[in-house]
């Protein structure tokens, strides 16, 4: 059975497609960018359902993400579900105030990396 990855993070920048393109068909992806839901109750339920179903949560905090609140929720929920959490945090290196508050997400993650390419390389080690 293929490993299931939940793609957690902002919707801008095309990073979801980059991850899927570079990792290929060896994984199943839960991509909230594609659910096309606008109602907060519905998309939150969709997101948390798929966090429960994933094996790996790949969290991406881009340097341009204005908040990270949704990502923080997904990381916390994944932690409670004992999921493997791989976090890429580009923003903390450039914003010390943000880093202070986002450090709880880093501490909750199993692996914290600085670039998306590092995360993709690491995830490839899970191909069976």
């Amino acid at each position: 059975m293929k490993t299931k990855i939940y793609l957690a993070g902002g919707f801008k920048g095309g990073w979801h497609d980059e991850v899927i393109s570079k990792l290929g068909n060896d994984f199943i992806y839960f991509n909230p960018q594609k659910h096309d839901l606008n109602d907060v109750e519905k998309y939150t339920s969709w997101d948390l359902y798929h966090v429960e179903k994933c094996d790996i949560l790949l969290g991406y905090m881009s340097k341009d993400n204005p908040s990270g609140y949704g990502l923080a929720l997904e990381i916390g929920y994944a932690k409670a579900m004992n999921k493997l959490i791989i976090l890429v945090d580009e923003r903390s290196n450039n914003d010390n105030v943000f880093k202070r508050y986002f450090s709880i997400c880093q501490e909750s993650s199993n692996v914290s990396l600085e670039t998306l390419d590092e995360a993709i390389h690491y995830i490839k080690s899970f191909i069976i």
Side-chain angles (χ1 to χ4, degrees), residues 3-128:
T3 300
K4 298 178 286 293
I5 301 173
Y6 182 87
L7 304 174
F11 285 2
K12 296 179 181 176
W15 72 272
H16 300 85
D17 293 333
E18 179 182 351
V19 168
I20 293 168
S21 173
K22 289 183 176 179
L23 289 176
N25 294 323
D26 291 310
F27 299 94
I28 295 170
Y29 304 97
F30 300 136
N31 184 355
Q33 185 184 39
K34 302 292 184 188
H35 61 46
D36 199 32
L37 299 170
N38 295 315
D39 179 75
V40 67
E41 181 180 342
K42 290 177 182 173
Y43 69 70
T44 302
S45 295
W46 189 100
D47 293 349
L48 297 180
Y49 173 85
H50 286 91
V51 170
E52 284 184 42
K53 300 300 178 193
C54 76
D55 302 303
I56 298 172
L57 180 134
L58 172 59
Y60 181 55
M61 186 64 208
S62 72
K63 60 185 174 196
D64 300 325
N65 189 326
S67 74
Y69 293 126
L71 175 57
L73 169 67
E74 292 161 341
I75 288 172
Y77 195 63
K79 181 73 172 179
M81 303 293 300
N82 201 31
K83 303 297 179 174
L84 176 63
I85 303 166
I86 301 167
L87 176 64
V88 175
D89 180 9
E90 293 179 345
R91 185 167 171 196
S92 289
N93 286 338
N94 303 316
D95 185 340
N96 286 330
V97 173
F98 177 80
K99 180 178 183 176
R100 179 173 174 225
Y101 295 105
F102 195 68
S103 63
I104 193 169
C105 291
Q106 290 181 343
E107 290 300 317
S108 297
S109 300
N110 301 94
V111 177
S112 186
L113 303 164
E114 292 186 13
T115 70
L116 199 54
D117 282 335
E118 287 177 302
I120 290 167
H121 178 75
Y122 180 64
I123 292 170
K124 284 181 180 180
S125 71
F126 290 88
I127 296 174
I128 299 173

